[in-house]
């Protein structure tokens, strides 16, 4: 596979917030793709975060670099 420097393939993902802690937020992806835990500082929101709110974001699939 080519290096990620050769192309950028971003996909739009959606999910919902399932857990909020002091420093992080856990998001469950739609389509049984799993969960992601990220720091609160990475969330852009005009309102207070709450469990059950839907989120959307662009992300690429991870690639193992040798």
């Amino acid at each position: 596979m080519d290096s990620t420097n050769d192309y950028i393939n971003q996909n739009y993902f959606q999910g919902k917030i399932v857990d909020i802690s002091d420093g992080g937020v856990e998001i469950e992806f739609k389509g049984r793709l799993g969960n992601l835990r990220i720091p609160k500082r990475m969330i852009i929101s005009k309102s207070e975060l709450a469990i059950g709110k839907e989120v959307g974001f662009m992300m690429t699939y991870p690639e193992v670099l040798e």
Side-chain angles (χ1 to χ4, degrees), residues 10-66:
Q10 293 183 338
N11 297 298
Y12 184 74
F13 291 91
Q14 290 183 334
K16 65 180 179 177
I17 297 174
V18 293
D19 185 39
I20 301 172
S21 64
D22 289 337
V25 174
E26 186 173 353
I27 298 168
E28 182 179 278
F29 293 112
K30 289 184 177 180
R32 297 176 19 182
L33 293 174
N35 293 2
L36 176 69
R37 181 170 283 278
I38 59 172
K40 276 186 179 178
R41 66 179 180 269
M42 292 181 70
I43 300 283
I44 299 169
S45 178
K46 292 181 181 178
S47 61
E48 182 95 19
L49 297 177
I51 293 176
K53 282 201 173 185
E54 292 198 10
V55 296
F57 48 94
M58 298 293 285
M59 185 171 74
T60 62
Y61 290 104
E63 178 183 356
V64 177
L65 303 176
E66 296 183 37

